[in-house]
Amino acid sequence: MADKKAVPLRISEKLYSDLAAWAEDDFRSLNGQIEYLLTECVRQRRKTGGYVGKEIDKPLEVDLSDTNGNTNGNTNGNTNGNANGDASAKKTEQD
């Protein structure tokens, strides 16, 4: 077995969850899935001399919000931007 380097990787919880689910679908460990994906990207680059996709640098249209719909790092389930969860700060359609 070839020596492997340990590389710490910081990713969002959403990306972690998506990769973990994909790894499970492919019967791989999360580490194995990440290594597989990176290997495929490098293989494609060597084959074509370019990146995997021509639009690789184009911003992704990915929903990185958590399951509560939060995108601001708020984890208390409050999506109105009010940190204390005060619903009075949220404008309703009836107002």
Side-chain angles (χ1 to χ4, degrees):
M1 184 167 139
D3 290 334
K4 293 189 177 189
K5 295 280 188 180
V7 179
L9 178 64
R10 296 183 193 280
I11 57 176
S12 70
E13 285 187 40
K14 175 67 173 144
L15 181 57
Y16 179 92
S17 297
D18 289 346
L19 286 171
W22 191 0
E24 188 175 322
D25 289 346
D26 288 353
F27 302 104
R28 291 189 181 99
S29 67
L30 177 61
N31 190 71
Q33 186 72 9
I34 292 169
E35 185 175 8
Y36 168 77
L37 293 170
L38 290 172
T39 300
E40 288 301 307
C41 288
V42 170
R43 182 176 293 138
Q44 184 67 29
R45 180 171 166 82
R46 287 179 181 162
K47 180 178 177 182
T48 65
Y51 294 104
V52 174
K54 295 181 189 273
E55 297 180 1
I56 192 81
D57 292 325
K58 183 178 178 183
L60 295 176
E61 295 180 17
V62 177
D63 179 16
L64 295 178
S65 61
D66 63 19
T67 56
N68 293 323
N70 298 323
T71 57
N72 61 358
N74 183 2
T75 58
N76 67 1
N78 176 20
T79 59
N80 66 9
N82 186 355
N84 66 8
D86 182 4
S88 64
K90 187 175 182 181
K91 190 169 188 148
T92 63
E93 292 180 25
Q94 299 168 348
D95 290 342

